[in-house]
Amino acid sequence: MSAKSAINKAVFTPHDEKMLAAVQVKRRTKKKIPFLATGGQGDYMTFICLSVTNKKPSHVSITKVKQFPGSSSFAKRSMWTIDQLRQVNGCDPNKDCPEFDLAFDNAFDQWVAGSAGEKCTFIQILHHTCQRYSSQSKPEFVNCQSKLLGGNSILHSAADSVTSAVQKASQALNERGERLSRAEEKTGEMKNSAEQFSVTAHKLAMKHKC
């Protein structure tokens, strides 16, 4: 079982929550804490997790989860609601990088993810989740690549493409209908002309007989 699956099972499932995303991180600037309250050294794994409650109305949380050396269990360390998130800083809008910052009402952390790919996936899901669930003012996403913030744009583009295709098909059908109508009118006109010619020819034939 992967660490992320284990975190979901151990930390969120028991509280009727579902983990949407998680990224393993380390601090870019270490806090000066020589000894942890748990009595262990500061060599541990940290994960930033995004979760949502299964019950409605949905509540979204961002949780800091830690795993200490020699332990298979995970511990919640800090938790914020999505409405407490004020800013997400991607650190570089021009290229993939593992660094990012999270600013909350009462906290600010500078992180480096295990890889640029992990960070990009997390921010992309976080942005989409904020757009969907934030009930107050949405957090600011700065210095993020446009591809990370384009989930809705992609959906809109797909919808626009479908709409455009439907409109083109409808226009083509209308044009075809107009052509058929014109063809039917011409056919009717030719039929009338043929009938008139037949009547005239019949009259001429009768006249010459007489």
Side-chain angles (χ1 to χ4, degrees):
M1 183 185 294
S2 69
K4 293 175 185 178
S5 297
I7 291 172
N8 184 45
K9 183 177 181 181
V11 177
F12 298 105
T13 301
H15 297 282
D16 200 23
E17 293 179 80
K18 176 175 64 178
M19 192 175 76
L20 302 175
V23 58
Q24 185 176 346
V25 296
K26 289 183 178 180
R27 289 187 185 278
R28 294 209 307 279
T29 54
K30 292 185 178 180
K31 289 185 177 180
K32 294 180 180 179
I33 305 177
F35 194 76
L36 296 177
T38 56
Q41 298 298 319
D43 185 19
Y44 48 79
M45 289 195 294
T46 302
F47 298 85
I48 303 297
C49 306
L50 181 66
S51 63
V52 62
T53 57
N54 290 317
K55 291 182 179 179
K56 306 295 183 181
S58 300
H59 296 284
V60 179
S61 301
I62 297 171
T63 307
K64 189 189 302 180
V65 175
K66 294 186 177 182
Q67 184 181 33
F68 294 94
S71 173
S72 60
S73 61
F74 299 91
K76 280 186 178 182
R77 283 305 181 203
S78 303
M79 185 172 69
W80 301 270
T81 67
I82 201 168
D83 290 324
Q84 291 177 300
L85 179 62
R86 289 291 166 257
Q87 187 184 81
V88 178
N89 190 336
C91 295
D92 195 326
N94 301 313
K95 65 179 181 180
D96 292 342
C97 69
E99 295 84 11
F100 68 100
D101 304 336
L102 297 178
F104 298 92
D105 286 338
N106 58 353
F108 175 74
D109 286 311
Q110 295 178 308
W111 301 108
V112 56
S115 68
E118 278 189 89
K119 169 248 183 144
C120 290
T121 300
F122 180 77
I123 288 185
Q124 195 169 33
I125 295 172
L126 177 59
H127 178 263
H128 176 73
T129 304
C130 288
Q131 299 305 305
R132 181 177 179 184
Y133 291 105
S134 291
S135 58
Q136 301 175 15
S137 59
K138 292 177 173 53
E140 182 183 23
F141 283 74
V142 299
N143 297 321
C144 295
Q145 292 173 280
S146 58
K147 68 178 182 179
L148 305 183
L149 312 181
N152 290 337
S153 297
I154 292 170
L155 292 174
H156 288 323
S157 296
D160 290 342
S161 297
V162 171
T163 301
S164 177
V166 170
Q167 288 175 342
K168 286 180 180 178
S170 178
Q171 183 179 354
L173 287 172
N174 288 335
E175 290 175 354
R176 184 183 177 190
E178 290 175 1
R179 288 196 297 270
L180 287 172
S181 295
R182 288 197 295 270
E184 288 176 356
E185 288 175 3
K186 288 182 179 179
T187 301
E189 290 173 358
M190 291 174 65
K191 183 179 179 182
N192 290 334
S193 297
E195 289 176 351
Q196 289 176 0
F197 178 79
S198 176
V199 170
T200 302
H202 180 70
K203 286 181 179 179
L204 286 171
M206 292 300 292
K207 184 177 180 181
H208 285 297
K209 253 186 187 182
C210 300

